[in-house]
Amino acid sequence: NTTILKRNDTQEIARMVFPGTLEINITTIVNASVLNASTNFAFADASTIGILNDSADITFFGIVATSPSLLVDVDDDGTFTNCQSSRCNQISFVGQTFKFNVAGFTSYSLNLPIQLSSCANLTQGGTTYTLAQDIRGNGTCLNVQANNVTIDCATSRIEYDASGAGEVGGIVSNGVNDLTVRNCIINDVNSSGILSPGINVTKSNNTVFDNNTIFTNSTQTGYGFAFARSQDSIATNNRVTTGSTGTLNIGLNVNNMSNLQYSGGYVVVTTTSNARGLEVIGPSENNTFRDLAINATLGAFFHLGSDNNSIINATIRVENVDGAANGLVLQDGANNNHFENISLSANGTTVFGCS
């Protein structure tokens, strides 16, 4: 075997082990731009030394993490994504030593969590961000600006909109993909301002949201959870409570969205009038809402162009002692939507189960 290693004065940092003997042309300059084993990074330029494009064992030392995952930069352009089992396989992780095998060479690294102690722009793709403590910001708290980011709050709190200016968010993702958010408690701490969702997802595909709790409030037009111009998202066991001192509050807003699978949890909207649990605005299609509890003055509102969506196994309770209480509302042009096993109760001066 041939071993390439990196060490400092006291210990080894990284090691690459190739099978057999490497024969390199004497005219080839071998430096860090061709072979590089360093802290949480391994690279071999197989285009310069073709024999390097072979299976190898890589070992990183001094890894402080609970469950790091494998990353690969296929194009060597600084963009790391999850490394699939066809290319990477973990061999062992003992103490602070992580060993894995790769099928061929490019750039490899580990997804090591970055701890946040304050609100921030999240700019490092292929990274898990965790919270060292509860964090608080005057405006938007976490602004996701890179692909393949995971936010795991471990039930710590994200507090945002402390200034009350509005039009901000707890976690905002715009134009980036492969975002995962889990175990977060997100709270709008100032009732002033408008349009400040706990989680706001725009033009962001392949997102996952699991086990989050959202509290929002505003003077009017408040959203708890907002999806727009996106597709292929999964949301499980999220809890949304939103209210305002004015009118029009929406717990879950879905606008120009396709292939959202939203299941579990609840949506509670506490505004005394025009409180909508779920609002789907076209063009939105093939979205499914399952095993969901909604408490509002209007349970679910499907607008023109909201087609082929489903609500399955839902409990909807609508109440408006001063006006209309509507369970399900479908505008003209909202077509082929499917409703199955809906438990609906309503209390108001005017009551519509479905209109």
Side-chain angles (χ1 to χ4, degrees), residues 47-104:
S47 63
T48 300
I49 307 175
I51 198 171
L52 294 179
N53 196 24
D54 198 355
S55 173
D57 290 344
I58 301 173
T59 305
F60 292 137
F61 300 89
I63 299 301
V64 180
T66 302
S67 54
S69 58
L70 290 160
L71 301 175
V72 61
D73 177 3
V74 176
D75 297 320
D76 294 321
D77 61 359
T79 302
F80 283 87
T81 59
N82 291 325
C83 194
Q84 303 302 315
S85 59
S86 58
R87 179 186 289 268
C88 302
N89 285 283
Q90 179 178 333
I91 297 173
S92 61
F93 184 29
V94 180
Q96 297 181 3
T97 301
F98 191 101
K99 184 177 181 180
F100 60 104
N101 176 266
V102 298

Side-chain angles (χ1 to χ4, degrees), residues 171-194:
I171 298 175
V172 174
S173 170
N174 189 340
V176 296
N177 302 319
D178 303 300
L179 169 66
T180 297
V181 178
R182 56 177 177 249
N183 305 321
C184 295
I185 301 172
I186 304 169
N187 188 13
D188 181 350
V189 294
N190 194 316
S191 61
S192 299
I194 63 174

